[in-house]
Amino acid sequence: MRSAAMTSANLRLSPHPNDLDRKRIERGLENRKRYRYVSPLVKATAGGYHISSPCCSRNIDPEGGIIDVALLIHEVDTGRWQLYAREHAARRWGLHSIHEKLSDALEEINLDPERIFWQ
């Protein structure tokens, strides 16, 4: 009986991160409106993906180092995507929005009219 419960719990493991979606995010970021001349980095993190990029504007890092851009976390129970923006002054991630599809979250990062992600 106990092993059946453990097997059921194991089936609820997150399908993310995975290499296929990591590459999909990398390709999707090619459509961004800001800082098209830098190469963002997409790395796997617990339950999702971490996006960082060189800081070309020098607004966050005066020396142009790598800065956090966005964090995408997949909700296992709902299948939705939590999109976090880096609050650089506070040195923490802040929930920006929740999306039904990964493509919708990527569109939000790419358009970025308020310069929340690409600073």
Side-chain angles (χ1 to χ4, degrees), residues 16-30 32 39-45 48-54 66-67 69-72 81 102 106 109-110 118:
H16 297 280
N18 65 64
D19 216 33
L20 180 67
D21 283 313
R22 185 182 61 76
K23 289 288 192 188
R24 184 173 159 211
I25 294 166
E26 286 176 351
R27 282 191 309 275
L29 292 174
E30 293 172 1
R32 67 189 179 280
S39 297
L41 308 167
V42 180
K43 294 184 180 177
T45 191
Y49 308 90
H50 174 257
I51 301 168
S52 59
S53 176
I66 303 294
I67 62 166
V69 172
L71 186 63
L72 289 161
W81 289 91
L102 177 59
L106 284 173
I109 296 168
N110 285 339
W118 305 101

Side-chain angles (χ1 to χ4, degrees), residues 19-99:
D19 216 33
L20 180 67
D21 283 313
R22 185 182 61 76
K23 289 288 192 188
R24 184 173 159 211
I25 294 166
E26 286 176 351
R27 282 191 309 275
L29 292 174
E30 293 172 1
N31 297 322
R32 67 189 179 280
K33 301 296 180 198
R34 301 188 185 282
Y35 301 113
R36 295 190 45 85
Y37 44 86
V38 298
S39 297
L41 308 167
V42 180
K43 294 184 180 177
T45 191
Y49 308 90
H50 174 257
I51 301 168
S52 59
S53 176
C55 182
C56 292
S57 69
R58 314 285 178 154
N59 290 334
I60 306 303
D61 183 346
E63 297 185 21
I66 303 294
I67 62 166
D68 295 321
V69 172
L71 186 63
L72 289 161
I73 302 295
H74 183 256
E75 296 177 353
V76 176
D77 293 337
T78 65
R80 298 183 304 178
W81 289 91
Q82 296 176 353
L83 173 58
Y84 291 84
R86 185 66 173 178
E87 297 171 0
H88 292 280
R91 296 184 175 164
R92 67 176 180 224
W93 291 103
L95 181 63
H96 177 271
S97 53
I98 297 176
H99 301 271

